């Protein structure tokens, strides 16, 4: 079953912040975040393993709440280059079988 | 850098044809995946393989089969193509270690007429 992402779409002005949420009905071993620009392959952002860690990648960071089976992706001081569709992927068994959500389309405007 | 190559960017086939989509990776990865991507539905896993000649069904395997005769190559087969299989197909590979990212190919836009 696919994880649920929210919001489905968001429009930001440059410099604004955004949060994308990912929620699963299953216990999670890991959560994966990818960004896909139009016409391109998804690009890896980060992986969070169970243990409730938080990771950062420049101005993009993420948290993983294992108990709530949720992850959130934080984009701060957004740039035009952040535009794209963000996917979370969840792995419930630790066997590398990742199930992706339906995506969050993010558009950053000047 | 990992390179995942899909044989075609665009492909047009007719209903009832047998269609082969090929994917090759150059990093000796154990795991390979086939997804289809449709608007509003995200990436849905069709099949994956964790070793040569090994395969597992994903979430939407109906109407598809796969072949992995060599470690670097993973083929998706549409036995009898139908119009509802018109979609973007993405292949990915992944090493055997935990917390490694999947590496995606550029995708094949398949149209079934």
């Amino acid at each position: 079953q696919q994880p649920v992402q929210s919001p489905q779409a968001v429009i930001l002005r440059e410099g604004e912040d955004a949060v994308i949420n990912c929620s699963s009905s299953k216990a999670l071993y890991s959560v994966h975040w990818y960004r896909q620009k139009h016409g391109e392959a998804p690009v890896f952002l980060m992986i969070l393993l169970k243990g409730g860690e938080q990771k950062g990648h420049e101005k993009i960071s993420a948290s993983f709440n294992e108990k709530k089976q949720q992850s959130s992706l934080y984009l701060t001081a957004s740039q035009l280059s952040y535009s794209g569709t963000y996917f979370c992927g969840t792995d419930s068994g630790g066997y590398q079988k990742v199930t992706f959500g339906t995506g969050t389309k993010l558009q950053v405007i000047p | 850098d990992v390179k995942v190559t899909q044989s075609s960017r665009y492909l047009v086939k007719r209903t009832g044809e047998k269609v082969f989509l090929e994917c090759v990776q150059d990093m000796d990865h154990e795991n390979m995946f086939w997804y289809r991507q449709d608007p509003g539905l995200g990436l849905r896993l069709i099949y994956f393989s964790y070793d040569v000649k090994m395969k597992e069904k994903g979430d939407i395997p109906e109407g598809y089969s796969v072949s992995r005769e060599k470690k670097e190559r993973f083929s998706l087969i549409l036995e009898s193509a139908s119009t509802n299989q018109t979609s973007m197909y993405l292949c990915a590979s992944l090493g055997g270690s935990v917390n490694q990212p999947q590496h995606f190919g550029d995708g094949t836009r398949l149209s079934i007429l």
Side-chain angles (χ1 to χ4, degrees):
Chain A
Q1 193 169 4
Q2 288 181 282
V4 177
Q5 287 185 236
S6 63
Q8 292 185 351
V10 60
I11 299 175
L12 298 174
R13 291 202 177 275
E14 271 187 293
E16 290 183 336
D17 302 339
V19 180
I20 299 172
N21 299 303
C22 176
S23 177
S24 174
S25 59
K26 297 181 179 182
L28 298 177
Y29 182 83
S30 64
V31 178
H32 306 225
W33 285 98
Y34 288 79
R35 177 173 61 210
Q36 183 180 32
K37 294 185 180 287
H38 184 70
E40 299 180 9
V43 173
F44 169 74
L45 293 176
M46 64 190 77
I47 291 174
L48 300 100
L49 302 180
K50 68 176 183 178
E53 66 177 287
Q54 183 153 354
K55 293 186 78 170
H57 179 72
E58 296 181 345
K59 294 180 181 177
I60 301 175
S61 62
S63 63
F64 178 21
N65 188 320
E66 182 186 343
K67 289 183 179 178
K68 291 186 177 181
Q69 298 157 197
Q70 293 175 348
S71 178
S72 295
L73 186 72
Y74 307 95
L75 299 101
T76 56
S78 58
Q79 306 167 15
L80 295 175
S81 61
Y82 286 4
S83 294
T85 300
Y86 289 78
F87 292 100
C88 74
T90 56
D91 177 3
S92 298
Y95 301 114
Q96 314 280 41
K97 178 188 173 186
V98 176
T99 300
F100 286 94
T102 54
T104 296
K105 188 171 183 179
L106 184 140
Q107 184 180 1
V108 181
I109 59 176
Chain B
D1 263 3
V2 177
K3 184 73 175 172
V4 178
T5 303
Q6 294 184 229
S7 53
S8 305
R9 272 316 286 274
Y10 301 94
L11 203 56
V12 180
K13 295 290 182 180
R14 296 210 171 270
T15 303
E17 281 193 69
K18 190 169 185 176
V19 181
F20 293 85
L21 301 183
E22 307 286 346
C23 176
V24 176
Q25 50 96 1
D26 66 357
M27 281 301 292
D28 202 36
H29 282 169
E30 289 83 357
N31 306 287
M32 296 187 74
F33 306 80
W34 275 107
Y35 296 90
R36 65 176 283 176
Q37 184 172 19
D38 301 287
L41 298 179
L43 297 161
R44 293 181 293 166
L45 181 63
I46 305 171
Y47 267 97
F48 68 103
S49 168
Y50 51 89
D51 204 348
V52 175
K53 296 191 185 294
M54 307 301 286
K55 60 186 179 184
E56 291 281 343
K57 292 181 180 179
D59 300 314
I60 52 165
E62 296 79 18
Y64 303 94
S65 62
V66 290
S67 172
R68 191 153 180 217
E69 297 295 321
K70 293 185 178 181
K71 194 173 186 180
E72 67 270 19
R73 186 181 296 271
F74 192 34
S75 303
L76 180 69
I77 303 159
L78 287 68
E79 297 289 344
S80 178
S82 64
T83 55
N84 62 13
Q85 292 178 309
T86 291
S87 185
M88 170 68 85
Y89 290 87
L90 287 163
C91 173
S93 76
L94 172 67
S97 303
V98 172
N99 81 359
Q100 294 299 308
Q102 292 193 17
H103 297 269
F104 285 86
D106 288 334
T108 296
R109 172 76 63 187
L110 176 65
S111 296
I112 306 295
L113 305 178

